[in-house]
Amino acid sequence: FRPCPIATVARRESRSHAGDSSCASLAMAEVEETLKRIQAHKGVIGTIVVNAEGIPIRTTLDNSTTVQYAGLLHQLTMKARSTVRDIDPQNDLTFLRIRSKKHEIMVAPDKEYLLIVIQNPCE
Amino acid sequence: MSSSAHAGKSKRHSVVVSVTSKPEFNMKRTSISGTSSQRQISHASGFHPSRIGSLSRRSILITSDGKTMDKGSLIGSKHTIQVFDEQGKDVTPRPLYRPEPSASLHRQSKILSTQDFSGATGSDFLSSLSMHQTSGVNASLVGPFSRTYGSSSISKSTTSTTESIADEIVEPGSRRDTAISLSDVLVRREEIKEQLTKEDIDKRVDIYLTETETIWLLDMPTVMVSIESEDAEKVKERNKDYIELCKNRVGNDCFVERMMQTLNGAPKNKEVQCDKILMEDKGIMATSWDLYDSFNALETTLAPSVTERSSRPTSLSSSKSNVTKDRERTMSITSTDRESITSSSIIDLESVILARIHEEEEDHSEAILKSEKFQQDLFFMERVLMENVFQPKLAAYRQLPVLIEPVLTSDAGKEEAVTEEAEEEEEEEEGEEEEEEEEQKEIVVGSSILLDLSEAPEEILPPSLERLWSYTCELTNGHNVSCMAWNKLNPDLLAVGYGQFGFQEQKKGLACCWSLKNPMWPERIYQCDHGVTALDFSLANPNLLAVGMYSGTIAIYNVQTHNTTALLDSSESFDKHIGPVWQLKWIEQDRGTTGDDKGEILISISGDGRITKWLIRKGLGCTDLMKLKRTASERKKLTGEKEKKSEALISRQPPGMCFDFDPRNTNIYLAGTEEGHIHKCSCSYNEQFLETYQAHKGPVYKIAWNPFSTDMFLSCSADWSIILWRQDSLRPILTFSSTTNVVHDIMWSPKSAFVFAAVNEGRVEIWDLSVSTLDPLIVTFANPGVKFTTVLFARNTDCILIGDSDGIVSVYELRNMTASDSNKVDALHDIIGSALAS
């Protein structure tokens, strides 16, 4: 039972976070601004950012819809990525767009997150 | 025989076997082995539900000695033995096996027939059979007996034969029996019933024994070694030794035959029960990318090992541990998060850990948002959204066919759209363009135009300007667009400078770089302390943007990075401008004489009357190309005009407003001043003007050489006029004055030598000299309250950009401009000539 090392590690971590905060906050501000712009864009119905486990980080829709979109699109993205890579393993999926009668769903997939934007382009 | 039969019968308890055999037959025939039809189920029970098979139907006759008559006395040609128990129920055991009738049949019969059974004794037959059985080589022989049960039964029967004595009725190969019986059922063989006669018994029977081929179980061929080989001696030695050994072996004491008996210990059974082995099924689809990934992962872990062998295991483990740690971390975060909610941490230690993990979790989601990849994805997403919205416009810009979006609005909406279309069509034909706010209408208009064109191909529409979109955002609202410039490398990148023209309205300006792909938000925003009055992109380094400001400062930005601070600034340099920089240009110049730096220099003209050349050498250094001097205006002597008193001059140098370099010879350039004079100067002389063109009565705001015919240039001024000059003539060739507004900007079209655009405050005019020199071809009016201030032609498409005083840069498409293919220069000269003549 040695509490000390872990506590010091924790302190160290927090310190490093403080150090990064300035540039981090700048980046965050820019990201926030861009997200806001996207959300305010014409025809955009909703914007969702989910992490790899399907937990939404940012969303403008209600929770149930978000969870639904996240789950379904995650599976579809996996399938799409698998398809692309099956054809050529050096290739990878960068963007996925699903055009439907009512909306267009745009997904920017990544290992750690999914960026989903739903737009109604005809509006 | 009969006694034995009786004995057999007596053995049967409570079982009645009805044997429908002929008794005398029994007496005579001694059936053995295969032919015997009685079955011995078990020795102990003595229950004989024997079924006498029909082996006897075959032409197998076995004569035997009296001894053998003990066995299998009961023979029947066709017996069906039925067994009834006490109650009289039919408990005839049915055969457990019904062999395939087809193949085995034939063979079997053959086998049995090939053997000459006639002379064989029962035991002999059995033994021979068994012999064959055990040898097990001849496949055909083994055929029906190949089934282990068959063989075992045969072996069993052999033992039983040897063991059993008179009382037992042996039936070897019970299964075989059934097989045979089946075969009997299926294949009706010829039934040869032979009656044994006394003569037969005494008859000489020939038994033929044949030898099968040798079966090699082990073959070790001798190894031959050549005498000349190296090992020959050794081999010979060895051989000799071996022979000696064999010889000596016989009586040698070293080799004694001994026999030993292994003592078998008493075995003990021990039972052990093991834990239940849990089985789990796991399935994975081996996709080609999965294989590729694993292969790559292997390679990347092996690659560092090539360099450092010792650290390989550590690197491997570390990389793996990293990966697993990440995963574990994410996994553990979620799990501990839940735990932290439910559990109550009392010990500080725990809380510290949990806090750290909580931090980590927050950081993780923050990290995602801050990650570069995310920013990039956002960037792309924004562009994609823009594309969705602006697609028809962009397509029109690129002169691609416009995709008509399937309109999903209700019928009412459709009607509305249709009426709008009709309105638009009418207006279109009038040749005037309507400023529209909503883009939906524009989509409709776009489609209507397309439809229009498609419907009436013969109808020639007059040239017109079609508004596509505008570059504007909230940052630029209220600013006056003072200058625009295209990037030299990427024709879709536009730099726009925002700054007020007048002295009173000065406020902070900005320079923005707009991309075609995102008309709603500029890619780069550079805030400047003073209004931006001039802009230009460099040709040699297309990422450099020079910005000139109202204060006279020139700043150079690098647009590649997101850095909003200027790369270079002239505010520190010695000879910086004092007056506003009205025009900037990067000029390619060969500096053959000096040999210093070949290439590009930045030239500016400013309100302090100087034309300066800037060099990027550890900061901005400049040298003056020319100092503008006030020239005395030569007035024509007009009768009745009185001489004005010479004005008190504020400065000796008139402010320079604009300049333009001769496209053919970059040594020569034209400069326009506030006085209204246009001076032709040379870079080699910085004292004298080569020529002065005086015709304007107000400041010359813009000079433009004709890109095709470099003899001509155009100038516009605040005196409401645009003048076309020819280089060698001091008098203007043509004057275009169509408005009573200050003409702010002019530009020749890059595609045609006759077309130029002029912007005065209230409207945009497109002139086509080949059509008319008196009136503009297209006139577009500005929104009330908004003044047009700048114009720019797009290089790669038929579009024109117009900046106004409200910070909006609108993109218009030139439609239906007739393309003139004639030799431009000559045609222009002709026009000029005709104009001059008239």
Side-chain angles (χ1 to χ4, degrees):
Chain A
F1 176 80
R2 283 191 293 162
C4 314
I6 299 162
T8 51
V9 166
R11 260 183 260 127
R12 228 179 289 133
E13 287 250 354
S14 54
R15 230 184 291 136
S16 67
H17 289 311
D20 290 332
S21 63
S22 53
C23 45
S25 58
L26 266 175
M28 262 318 281
E30 205 183 297
V31 164
E32 291 288 342
E33 203 189 300
T34 315
L35 264 174
K36 244 196 327 196
R37 267 211 317 277
I38 289 180
Q39 284 165 8
H41 194 73
K42 198 174 81 136
V44 169
I45 297 169
T47 310
I48 303 168
V49 183
V50 276
N51 69 356
E53 289 129 32
I55 301 170
I57 304 175
R58 285 269 190 285
T59 174
T60 58
L61 303 167
D62 54 280
N63 198 30
S64 57
T65 318
T66 304
V67 165
Q68 194 184 22
Y69 266 105
L72 294 168
L73 285 169
H74 184 71
Q75 293 173 33
L76 185 63
T77 314
M78 299 288 273
K79 191 70 185 173
R81 178 178 277 138
S82 171
T83 308
V84 167
R85 297 203 71 206
D86 257 347
I87 294 166
D88 176 11
Q90 289 176 334
N91 208 352
D92 197 7
L93 183 70
T94 51
F95 206 84
L96 185 64
R97 285 168 88 158
I98 306 158
R99 197 63 178 264
S100 74
K101 272 204 269 186
K102 294 191 187 166
H103 319 303
E104 177 161 357
I105 302 169
M106 287 161 278
V107 181
D110 187 74
K111 263 197 337 255
E112 288 160 35
Y113 61 85
L114 269 184
L115 169 62
I116 303 163
V117 175
I118 305 136
Q119 187 194 24
N120 183 357
C122 306
E123 213 178 276
Chain B
M1 277 186 321
S2 57
S3 60
S4 66
H6 291 303
K9 277 188 194 149
S10 67
K11 261 221 171 152
R12 292 175 224 130
H13 335 280
S14 73
V15 168
V16 173
V17 177
S18 59
V19 178
T20 57
S21 56
K22 297 174 192 163
E24 77 273 23
F25 197 79
N26 286 345
M27 297 302 163
K28 287 176 188 166
R29 290 236 331 232
T30 60
S31 73
I32 304 86
S33 68
T35 63
S36 153
S37 53
Q38 276 219 334
R39 183 184 312 176
Q40 184 182 23
I41 300 300
S42 65
H43 304 271
S45 63
F47 166 82
H48 289 281
S50 48
R51 192 144 58 95
I52 299 165
S54 52
L55 244 189
S56 49
R57 291 177 69 227
R58 300 183 183 280
S59 56
I60 299 159
L61 263 185
I62 299 159
T63 57
S64 59
D65 304 332
K67 199 168 51 155
T68 60
M69 285 198 327
D70 299 337
K71 306 155 195 158
S73 49
L74 284 171
I75 320 147
S77 52
K78 225 200 289 188
H79 304 68
T80 49
I81 295 179
Q82 288 175 316
V83 179
F84 298 98
D85 66 0
E86 295 168 43
Q87 278 81 35
K89 276 198 281 193
D90 186 353
V91 288
T92 319
R94 280 171 295 193
L96 288 171
Y97 172 73
R98 287 184 201 288
E100 297 141 68
S102 51
S104 48
L105 253 206
H106 197 65
R107 271 191 233 126
Q108 195 182 50
S109 58
K110 236 179 39 177
I111 292 156
L112 294 173
S113 54
T114 49
Q115 319 274 355
D116 194 284
F117 296 143
S118 49
T121 59
S123 59
D124 281 1
F125 177 71
L126 268 174
S127 54
S128 71
L129 263 182
S130 63
M131 207 169 61
H132 288 294
Q133 191 55 38
T134 49
S135 67
V137 172
N138 197 340
S140 60
L141 232 197
V142 177
F145 314 143
S146 61
R147 297 173 197 100
T148 49
Y149 55 81
S151 62
S152 60
S153 62
I154 289 170
S155 52
K156 194 165 56 160
S157 58
T158 50
T159 53
S160 64
T161 318
T162 51
E163 284 169 7
S164 69
I165 315 168
D167 295 338
E168 311 288 335
I169 298 164
V170 174
E171 173 150 319
S174 49
R175 302 291 160 79
R176 189 165 33 107
D177 207 22
T178 58
I180 295 154
S181 62
L182 245 186
S183 64
D184 166 48
V185 170
L186 293 166
V187 177
R188 302 228 142 227
R189 286 190 137 267
E190 278 182 24
E191 195 184 295
I192 305 167
K193 278 194 243 178
E194 279 192 46
Q195 302 265 353
L196 277 179
T197 58
K198 267 261 190 241
E199 296 92 40
D200 288 334
I201 292 169
D202 293 331
K203 198 165 66 173
R204 236 184 96 231
V205 175
D206 296 321
I207 300 172
Y208 299 97
L209 295 173
T210 55
E211 191 191 323
T212 59
E213 20 179 281
T214 324
I215 304 153
W216 291 102
L217 292 174
L218 174 67
D219 183 14
M220 281 180 63
T222 52
V223 178
M224 313 277 242
V225 174
S226 147
I227 286 182
E228 282 136 22
S229 86
E230 293 155 2
D231 297 334
E233 288 300 315
K234 277 191 259 172
V235 172
K236 270 201 241 175
E237 279 283 321
R238 273 221 303 263
N239 285 350
K240 220 170 29 153
D241 284 340
Y242 185 68
I243 294 165
E244 289 275 324
L245 187 75
C246 288
K247 260 196 282 180
N248 295 338
R249 192 164 167 256
V250 182
N252 208 338
D253 279 336
C254 295
F255 299 93
V256 173
E257 258 193 54
R258 278 194 78 170
M259 279 179 267
M260 293 283 293
Q261 182 173 25
T262 53
L263 300 165
N264 292 322
K268 180 181 166 183
N269 284 339
K270 190 171 165 90
E271 276 144 27
V272 176
Q273 185 178 16
C274 70
D275 289 333
K276 184 173 179 205
I277 298 167
L278 294 165
M279 308 275 268
E280 199 182 286
D281 282 327
K282 193 171 165 103
I284 186 163
M285 185 141 112
T287 52
S288 48
W289 53 266
D290 204 358
L291 296 166
Y292 180 83
D293 278 346
S294 344
F295 187 66
N296 267 7
L298 254 181
E299 277 194 349
T300 51
T301 51
L302 283 174
S305 79
V306 172
T307 52
E308 289 179 46
R309 282 196 147 266
S310 56
S311 60
R312 188 207 315 190
T314 53
S315 68
L316 251 175
S317 57
S318 67
S319 66
K320 275 206 188 124
S321 64
N322 277 344
V323 168
T324 49
K325 219 201 314 178
D326 277 351
R327 285 210 205 104
E328 276 162 30
R329 193 151 63 101
T330 54
M331 299 304 278
S332 63
I333 282 167
T334 50
S335 57
T336 50
D337 189 37
R338 281 183 226 119
E339 282 171 21
S340 67
I341 292 164
T342 53
S343 74
S344 57
S345 57
I346 305 161
I347 311 168
D348 275 343
L349 165 69
E350 273 187 18
S351 64
V352 162
I353 297 169
L354 284 168
R356 178 160 76 97
I357 293 165
H358 220 34
E359 250 177 55
E360 277 181 15
E361 187 211 54
E362 276 171 17
D363 285 345
H364 208 62
S365 70
E366 293 274 305
I368 289 176
L369 290 176
K370 282 179 213 161
S371 71
E372 222 177 272
K373 181 95 201 320
F374 187 70
Q375 287 174 19
Q376 206 178 43
D377 278 340
L378 278 175
F379 179 67
F380 289 143
M381 186 65 80
E382 205 180 346
R383 284 195 168 182
V384 168
L385 288 173
M386 293 298 166
E387 189 205 328
N388 266 341
V389 175
F390 285 102
Q391 201 276 336
K393 308 299 164 53
L394 296 173
Y397 184 82
R398 291 262 193 251
Q399 275 131 21
L400 293 170
V402 176
L403 282 179
I404 298 174
E405 183 75 42
V407 179
L408 291 162
T409 55
S410 60
D411 283 350
K414 248 189 188 169
E415 284 168 17
E416 210 178 59
V418 167
T419 52
E420 278 176 8
E421 272 183 51
E423 282 174 10
E424 294 316 310
E425 275 179 80
E426 288 170 19
E427 278 159 12
E428 237 347 271
E429 281 166 17
E430 279 169 29
E432 294 221 321
E433 219 265 347
E434 199 186 72
E435 297 270 26
E436 281 148 2
E437 304 296 321
E438 286 172 6
E439 290 180 343
Q440 189 194 14
K441 280 191 190 162
E442 288 175 37
I443 297 170
V444 170
V445 165
S447 60
S448 76
I449 287 168
L450 201 65
L451 287 169
D452 203 22
L453 287 171
S454 61
E455 280 163 14
E458 290 127 25
E459 203 184 309
I460 300 166
L461 290 170
S464 58
L465 281 185
E466 171 71 32
R467 184 166 180 276
L468 295 177
W469 74 87
S470 53
Y471 290 112
T472 179
C473 70
E474 68 223 0
L475 285 178
T476 63
N477 279 341
H479 286 86
N480 176 41
V481 175
S482 59
C483 45
M484 299 190 286
W486 289 109
N487 186 311
K488 303 290 192 295
L489 185 64
N490 180 359
D492 291 334
L493 203 59
L494 177 72
V496 181
Y498 301 88
Q500 307 298 109
F501 283 145
F503 180 73
Q504 248 102 39
E505 302 115 26
Q506 279 306 305
K507 57 180 176 182
K508 286 203 168 191
L510 61 133
C512 294
C513 287
W514 294 86
S515 163
L516 190 71
K517 296 175 189 168
N518 189 348
M520 287 186 74
W521 191 257
E523 303 299 314
R524 303 277 186 271
I525 303 166
Y526 301 112
Q527 302 276 0
C528 305
D529 287 334
H530 306 273
V532 173
T533 49
L535 272 186
D536 199 21
F537 269 108
S538 161
L539 186 61
N541 308 308
N543 56 320
L544 292 180
L545 173 68
V547 176
M549 286 175 251
Y550 199 84
S551 63
T553 316
I554 295 174
I556 297 183
Y557 291 91
N558 181 2
V559 297
Q560 266 179 341
T561 63
H562 275 274
N563 196 0
T564 53
T565 55
L567 206 61
L568 283 170
D569 202 314
S570 83
S571 43
E572 318 270 298
S573 73
F574 263 120
D575 286 331
K576 64 178 184 195
H577 283 299
I578 307 164
V581 179
W582 288 115
Q583 189 147 6
L584 275 176
K585 249 203 169 100
W586 292 90
I587 298 293
E588 284 273 341
Q589 260 199 5
D590 316 309
R591 326 265 269 100
T593 48
T594 55
D596 212 352
D597 29 11
K598 231 184 189 197
E600 259 197 339
I601 44 170
L602 179 64
I603 302 196
S604 65
I605 187 168
S606 88
D608 61 2
R610 282 161 49 209
I611 301 173
T612 48
K613 170 176 76 183
W614 298 84
L615 304 154
I616 299 171
R617 250 191 275 121
K618 287 188 186 179
L620 278 175
C622 67
T623 53
D624 274 351
L625 271 183
M626 176 65 71
K627 283 200 170 68
L628 294 169
K629 278 175 273 195
R630 287 195 183 271
T631 52
S633 51
E634 296 158 18
R635 294 216 188 110
K636 292 181 226 167
K637 268 235 173 110
L638 294 166
T639 52
E641 211 183 289
K642 52 176 189 167
E643 289 252 343
K644 264 196 174 171
K645 255 200 290 186
S646 63
E647 300 149 10
L649 301 167
I650 299 168
S651 87
R652 288 202 143 262
Q653 288 162 328
M657 300 300 294
C658 54
F659 68 95
D660 198 8
F661 272 74
D662 187 339
R664 277 176 314 178
N665 180 6
T666 52
N667 234 0
I668 311 279
Y669 59 92
L670 292 163
T673 67
E674 206 187 23
E675 297 176 308
H677 301 314
I678 301 171
H679 303 290
K680 184 158 90 170
C681 326
S682 162
C683 289
S684 344
Y685 306 106
N686 55 2
E687 296 289 324
Q688 293 271 343
F689 303 134
L690 293 175
E691 299 258 8
T692 304
Y693 305 89
Q694 297 173 16
H696 279 299
K697 300 175 190 78
V700 180
Y701 282 141
K702 196 79 191 286
I703 300 176
W705 285 94
N706 189 324
F708 293 97
S709 151
T710 54
D711 267 349
M712 311 283 200
F713 62 90
L714 211 60
S715 66
C716 77
S717 124
D719 67 354
W720 310 339
S721 67
I722 305 164
I723 297 179
L724 176 70
W725 303 82
R726 213 162 73 182
Q727 211 189 111
D728 46 4
S729 154
L730 285 177
R731 281 177 58 242
I733 308 292
L734 281 175
T735 308
F736 312 99
S737 45
S738 49
T739 54
T740 56
N741 274 326
V742 173
V743 185
H744 280 291
D745 202 358
I746 46 166
M747 188 171 173
W748 286 100
S749 159
K751 303 228 168 118
S752 162
F754 305 112
V755 179
F756 67 88
V759 149
N760 52 43
E761 286 188 352
R763 41 192 232 181
V764 168
E765 297 169 349
I766 313 282
W767 293 78
D768 188 346
L769 293 175
S770 59
V771 171
S772 157
T773 56
L774 294 172
D775 281 317
L777 189 63
I778 309 167
V779 175
T780 304
F781 288 95
N783 278 336
V786 173
K787 292 186 241 176
F788 287 142
T789 52
T790 46
V791 72
L792 191 68
F793 269 95
R795 268 180 294 145
N796 51 353
T797 175
D798 275 336
C799 287
I800 188 170
L801 274 75
I802 298 168
D804 65 14
S805 58
D806 207 18
I808 300 172
V809 175
S810 315
V811 180
Y812 287 85
E813 190 193 350
L814 292 164
R815 306 189 75 102
N816 312 312
M817 298 282 288
T818 51
S820 48
D821 295 319
S822 55
N823 192 340
K824 297 175 169 137
V825 176
D826 290 344
L828 196 59
H829 283 302
D830 288 343
I831 292 167
I832 308 304
S834 62
L836 278 172
S838 63

